[in-house]
Amino acid sequence: MKKMQKVMVCLAILMLLACSLSAAVSASSNTQDGIRVDILTAKDTYAANEDIEFHITVTNTNNFTVKNISVSALLPEGLTLKSGPLSKQFVNLAANGVETLTVIAVLEEQPGSSETGDTSPSDTGGSASSSTGSATASGSGDTAGSETGSSASFLTGETTTSKAGSSTSTTKSTTAGGVVITNPSVPLAPGLYTPTPQTGDSLRYGMLFPLILLFSLIGITLTLRFHIKAKRAISLVLCLCVMAGALGFFQFSDSLAADPPSFESEHTITAGGNSYTLTVTVAYNALPVFAINLTVSQDEFLTSGRSEPVYFYAEYPDGAGSILLMSDNDTVMAEMKDDGVYGTSGDDIENDGIYSCILMIDLSEENILYFYAVVTDDDGIRSDMVVIYIISAFTDSELADIQSVDDAIAALLASGEYIAADTETRKAMAEELLNQLAEEGLILAESLFYDEDAEIFTFEYKCGMLGGLILEDFDGCDGPEDTGDDLPVLGDPPLPPPDNGGSGIESAVILNAFEDTPYRREMYAQPKADWEDRGLATTLITAVTVPVIKDLKGYDIIWFAGHGVFIKYISAGVYTNDPLWLLNEELSGAADKSYSIDLKQQRLLHVNGATYAMLPSLISASYNQMDLHNSFVTFSSCQIMGSKGNISDSMANAFLNCSVRGFAAYHNTVFSDYSYGFMKTYLDNLIQSESTLSAFTSSLIEHGNNDIEWLKKEYLSGNLNISPLNYARLLVEHLPAYPCFRGDTAAKLVESTLQNGSFELSSTPVRWKTFADVRVITQLGDLNPTHGSRMAMLSTGIGAAKEDYIASFAGATQGSILQQTIKLSDDVDTLSFDYNMVSEEPPEYVGSQFDDTFVAEILDVNGTLLKQIVYMSVNTADWLPASGFKLTIGKDSGRPAWQTSWQSVSVDLTPYRNQIITLRFLVFDRGDSAFDSAALIDNVAIK
């Protein structure tokens, strides 16, 4: 018995020591797991009393969503927080998503210090997707009426030091979330994920172990001192303690796995002659390894009385005997195939590493469905969840209620009494109407909110969608020209001579949602004319509708011109801040029904009973993470970056999460001439092949750091024909509007080096322009990339299309294109790449009119052919057998595939130095489109 007691005592002590060690380890986690944190400042040396802006950007570089991320900053002793929160938490950070926390600090006040009069913009959140950092133009503004101003700070993307290194977690998970079936009477609101509990259990177990230790020590003492019966009783207690300790250990070990890992980054600056280090801690849920990239053809549906097919695609480069599509309750829904039998499995090319299946989705009622994919022959290999939302369209009764509210609001705003009233009277009249509508049950009383700063009422209709009533007109956005003075519209300065012809191959779209007045019409027609003269294909859209907003893929420059306002509103019972951008699409019941999903999800709202407006979530829902990877976005609108020192990055984040390369917009209400002139110069500079940083900085120098600086300069130069009284009024009443930039400060519209030549950046051809069926794959049967793990494929298959670009090739029917435009340097020598043409036409149709063709060529800035590098066709190639795949869809047996084998090409580029060229690859059917061909491209390089 004594030996057993001693053994039990030893076990108890060892168990308690193990628990104690485990608790200590839990406090020293240090990992990144694909989560990157960048800390950016405008410079590394600051004077005493000078604002120090720390922009802390967290980027999820994984291909799956990471949940429950929190970021916190610790200011070093000696620096005082001036504005901005020191911590932020967000439930989900999507793949390639970014979030920013901006902290403005100042060295503790030194003798003789002073402060400026105006408040400068300070970030409450933001984004910067590039590892080089983000940039922002902001400043402290001018004291009203003062002739002196402070210059804007502009982040240049300085590097930071990370303590964590770049270790990657290898934790595997086979668990899945639960299916949620929503109550049809409850509108679906953004944010449908449930956070995982994290910290409570750890704290509870952490306090349990000292108690176990205490009781165990008492038990040991009593056991050694008292009667044998007591020893037996206490031995029993000791056994229980040991069991409790073991249970506690295992539970605590589980809690360790649930505790969020964290890592630190720090950034050091010098202020007032001393060094100060900001330490940032990022914590997040432990990451599973998602080796499968699962996507879906459509993830939102309106309810109907039928079922609809949905295509699921799983990219799994390692290959698998079987991949299963699972529901969140671990039920097998379908087997995913890489068989090329499109009609059965939804897979159009055999053995390309993409597994597919078709699932019929019941659309009879509102629902939220969760799915994941799992490899059956390698337990634990799985994908992240994909979610499908089924949402009911508005009923006729709901549409009638919506119309009643809109009619009442429109009637109020059109009444003579309202038009003649001042702001306070308008507010009282609007509040009375909205309260009446709430009493009638047409709007939800608890959702009614008035934003004093924006002078806008927001509310939810009975059906759950958002509405807004803006008290004032948008005259404040126009500025001096609306003061009643005789002010001519400022024209554009002539553009400099084209730099080797301009960019020619690129395209731009201008979305002019302003009122159709000669002033606005002429203003935004001018860049279209200028850019088209320079060879830039430019589209001007003056009817800006919701479908237009959702169809912006393929444009290099996207310029939003319309009214914006930064609002606070209540969504699902939570106060939210967001910029609102007004379209000029008139409301209608038919459109409401068509837009039911976006309206119910509160991405769109009705404004003033007259027009639609969008929130940033409309962009997030409309585009996937790589859809806008070549685009530069600007807004000539008020308050897209927030107002009155409260910077909002939600619109910037929405675009950057779709891989936009640069985003520029204004903080505060901005004068229209400054707004237009600044963005036009910035975009002109981009067209001239400047980087975003250079283009933005040059525009700051030309137009001023804010619109008050611009106003002073133009007025004192005699360029503004306004009275001294109105000039003084604007200085006093108008807060300076600051241009802000987010994104990659080194990005160019036309890069000077070839980008992503081995196609390794993503499963889509990032930085390349594509037409029709172009994809990035890891294999094609037995054919593998020549460099890295990915290659591009152009196909004449299911995604190919007949376009004007192949009209010059006689007999061409359908095909696809991959191209990239580069501004060559003065020391460039060669272009090289690898290609392999594959086809199902040989050998039977060699020598016939069915002559599928692959072409590689170099074009000049105007699209004129400079050199044909490769011309390969069914009739001209030497064909070798290929195996392991078929291209033609819907053929169970398929035709034997043939290949040219990998060929390497090297081209002399010295004749084209200092020119803008386009490297273009084409593959197309010729004669018919019965059997398919494709071209594999890899290892493209310019040296």
Side-chain angles (χ1 to χ4, degrees), residues 36 38 40 57 59 98 128-134 656 661 743-746:
R36 189 182 75 239
D38 297 304
L40 308 174
T57 301
T59 305
V98 289
S129 59
S130 170
S131 60
T132 59
S134 68
L656 290 171
R661 307 193 70 193
D744 183 354
T745 58

Side-chain angles (χ1 to χ4, degrees), residues 274-606:
N274 296 318
S275 294
Y276 298 91
T277 299
L278 177 79
T279 301
V280 173
T281 302
V282 178
Y284 48 91
N285 270 9
L287 304 179
V289 174
F290 295 123
I292 308 173
N293 180 29
L294 182 66
T295 56
V296 64
S297 60
Q298 186 174 343
D299 60 5
E300 292 183 332
F301 292 88
L302 287 174
T303 55
S304 66
R306 60 183 186 276
S307 296
E308 292 283 349
V310 175
Y311 293 76
F312 291 82
Y313 308 100
E315 181 186 18
Y316 186 56
D318 295 338
S322 176
I323 294 181
L324 299 179
L325 181 70
M326 312 289 293
S327 70
D328 58 331
N329 62 359
D330 300 330
T331 300
V332 176
M333 305 303 296
E335 184 177 4
M336 307 189 76
K337 300 285 190 179
D338 189 9
D339 58 3
V341 185
Y342 186 75
T344 303
S345 66
D347 188 71
D348 63 335
I349 296 178
E350 183 185 29
N351 289 338
D352 61 351
I354 308 295
Y355 294 74
S356 307
C357 70
I358 305 172
L359 195 65
M360 299 301 293
I361 301 296
D362 180 10
L363 305 182
S364 60
E365 62 180 13
E366 286 193 341
N367 207 342
I368 306 177
L369 304 174
Y370 297 83
F371 301 93
Y372 68 98
V374 62
V375 178
T376 58
D377 52 2
D378 190 349
D379 187 36
I381 300 298
R382 55 155 290 177
S383 72
D384 196 4
M385 285 283 183
V386 297
V387 187
I388 294 178
Y389 300 93
I390 304 168
I391 301 170
S392 61
F394 289 124
T395 64
D396 291 342
S397 175
E398 288 174 323
L399 291 173
D401 288 343
I402 293 169
Q403 187 66 52
S404 296
V405 173
D406 291 342
D407 287 345
I409 291 174
L412 171 68
L413 300 185
S415 67
E417 182 183 0
Y418 182 89
I419 294 172
D422 59 21
T423 301
E424 283 303 313
T425 305
R426 288 184 174 188
K427 176 184 175 183
M429 295 173 68
E431 190 169 14
E432 181 182 2
L433 173 63
L434 294 174
N435 284 330
Q436 178 184 336
L437 293 172
E439 290 176 3
E440 295 173 6
L442 294 173
I443 67 175
L444 304 180
E446 63 273 17
S447 70
L448 186 58
F449 179 77
Y450 180 67
D451 186 339
E452 292 283 353
D453 290 333
E455 296 179 341
I456 178 174
F457 281 97
T458 52
F459 56 89
E460 288 186 8
Y461 292 77
K462 179 182 178 181
C463 60
M465 61 175 262
L466 283 174
L469 192 162
I470 301 174
L471 298 184
E472 297 295 330
D473 298 329
F474 286 95
D475 294 343
C477 295
D478 297 327
E481 73 275 1
D482 280 349
T483 60
D485 296 305
D486 182 18
L487 177 71
V489 174
L490 297 181
D492 287 326
L495 286 173
D499 184 359
N500 292 306
S503 60
I505 305 301
E506 271 53 53
S507 60
V509 61
I510 303 170
L511 308 175
N512 183 5
F514 282 120
E515 299 84 0
D516 185 18
T517 63
Y519 170 73
R520 299 287 190 186
R521 198 162 49 240
E522 294 170 14
M523 177 177 284
Y524 289 98
Q526 188 64 49
K528 173 178 170 61
D530 289 345
W531 294 345
E532 286 183 338
D533 287 344
R534 299 170 57 78
L536 181 69
T538 305
T539 301
L540 175 62
I541 298 176
T542 56
V544 183
T545 64
V546 174
V548 166
I549 298 297
K550 293 186 170 192
D551 190 26
L552 299 175
K553 288 193 293 186
Y555 289 107
D556 299 280
I557 291 174
I558 305 172
W559 190 353
F560 288 82
H563 293 299
V565 59
F566 182 62
I567 66 170
K568 185 174 184 179
Y569 61 101
I570 300 175
S571 175
V574 177
Y575 288 100
T576 306
N577 284 302
D578 268 320
L580 186 71
W581 195 75
L582 275 70
L583 289 65
N584 57 5
E585 179 180 8
E586 294 183 0
L587 303 179
S588 72
D592 281 346
K593 195 157 192 173
S594 176
Y595 307 155
S596 291
I597 292 176
D598 290 320
L599 287 166
K600 285 193 171 186
Q601 296 286 60
Q602 298 186 349
R603 303 163 187 159
L604 283 174
L605 65 160
H606 286 194

Side-chain angles (χ1 to χ4, degrees), residues 552-873:
L552 299 175
K553 288 193 293 186
Y555 289 107
D556 299 280
I557 291 174
I558 305 172
W559 190 353
F560 288 82
H563 293 299
V565 59
F566 182 62
I567 66 170
K568 185 174 184 179
Y569 61 101
I570 300 175
S571 175
V574 177
Y575 288 100
T576 306
N577 284 302
D578 268 320
L580 186 71
W581 195 75
L582 275 70
L583 289 65
N584 57 5
E585 179 180 8
E586 294 183 0
L587 303 179
S588 72
D592 281 346
K593 195 157 192 173
S594 176
Y595 307 155
S596 291
I597 292 176
D598 290 320
L599 287 166
K600 285 193 171 186
Q601 296 286 60
Q602 298 186 349
R603 303 163 187 159
L604 283 174
L605 65 160
H606 286 194
V607 172
N608 289 358
T611 189
Y612 294 98
M614 75 171 190
L615 291 166
S617 53
L618 182 68
I619 300 300
S620 301
S622 301
Y623 297 97
N624 293 323
Q625 64 188 49
M626 291 297 174
D627 280 349
L628 302 176
H629 64 88
N630 280 329
S631 300
F632 297 82
V633 172
T634 63
F635 276 82
S636 287
S637 308
C638 298
Q639 303 183 13
I640 296 299
M641 295 294 294
S643 66
K644 299 184 178 179
N646 183 15
I647 283 188
S648 168
D649 283 277
S650 56
M651 188 70 80
N653 286 345
F655 280 99
L656 290 171
N657 287 340
C658 305
S659 298
V660 161
R661 307 193 70 193
F663 178 93
Y666 295 99
H667 178 84
N668 284 334
T669 297
V670 61
F671 293 151
S672 58
D673 276 341
Y674 175 81
S675 172
Y676 167 84
F678 183 95
M679 290 303 176
K680 175 65 161 53
T681 299
Y682 163 68
L683 294 173
D684 285 345
N685 293 339
L686 281 181
I687 295 169
Q688 287 294 113
S689 300
E690 292 187 31
S691 68
T692 51
L693 176 59
S694 174
F696 200 89
T697 304
S698 297
S699 196
L700 283 170
I701 293 171
E702 179 174 341
H703 296 279
N705 294 320
N706 56 62
D707 58 353
I708 286 293
E709 284 189 13
W710 168 85
L711 177 68
K712 293 175 180 177
K713 177 184 175 183
E714 295 297 317
Y715 178 77
L716 297 175
S717 300
N719 295 329
L720 293 180
N721 185 22
I722 61 174
S723 68
L725 181 61
N726 278 331
Y727 173 67
R729 179 184 63 81
L730 290 171
L731 289 180
V732 171
E733 295 179 358
H734 182 77
L735 286 176
Y738 298 84
C740 303
F741 177 84
R742 297 289 185 268
D744 183 354
T745 58
K748 295 181 178 180
L749 183 65
V750 179
E751 295 286 355
S752 55
T753 57
L754 189 131
Q755 306 288 302
N756 193 25
S758 289
F759 306 97
E760 298 298 314
L761 293 182
S762 173
S763 57
T764 57
V766 176
R767 301 294 173 259
W768 292 82
K769 281 197 167 183
T770 63
F771 301 88
D773 188 8
V774 180
R775 59 188 83 180
V776 173
I777 58 176
T778 58
Q779 66 183 66
L780 184 61
D782 295 336
L783 303 179
N784 297 302
T786 62
H787 185 271
S789 61
R790 298 178 186 270
M791 57 187 172
M793 184 182 76
L794 297 74
S795 170
T796 68
I798 189 171
K802 182 172 181 178
E803 302 285 354
D804 293 341
Y805 52 76
I806 60 173
S808 58
F809 295 94
T813 56
Q814 62 186 33
S816 302
I817 288 181
L818 173 72
Q819 67 182 45
Q820 188 173 150
T821 301
I822 312 103
K823 185 179 187 299
L824 298 178
S825 63
D826 59 2
D827 60 354
V828 70
D829 289 322
T830 59
L831 159 71
S832 60
F833 60 88
D834 303 330
Y835 75 91
N836 189 354
M837 182 179 177
V838 297
S839 179
E840 292 179 340
E841 298 280 11
E844 180 180 354
Y845 296 102
V846 173
S848 73
Q849 74 272 28
F850 307 119
D851 191 25
D852 293 0
T853 303
F854 165 66
V855 175
E857 56 192 14
I858 297 175
L859 310 176
D860 70 8
V861 70
N862 298 311
T864 304
L865 180 66
L866 292 175
K867 184 178 182 64
Q868 189 174 85
I869 306 169
V870 176
Y871 184 94
M872 186 74 69
S873 73

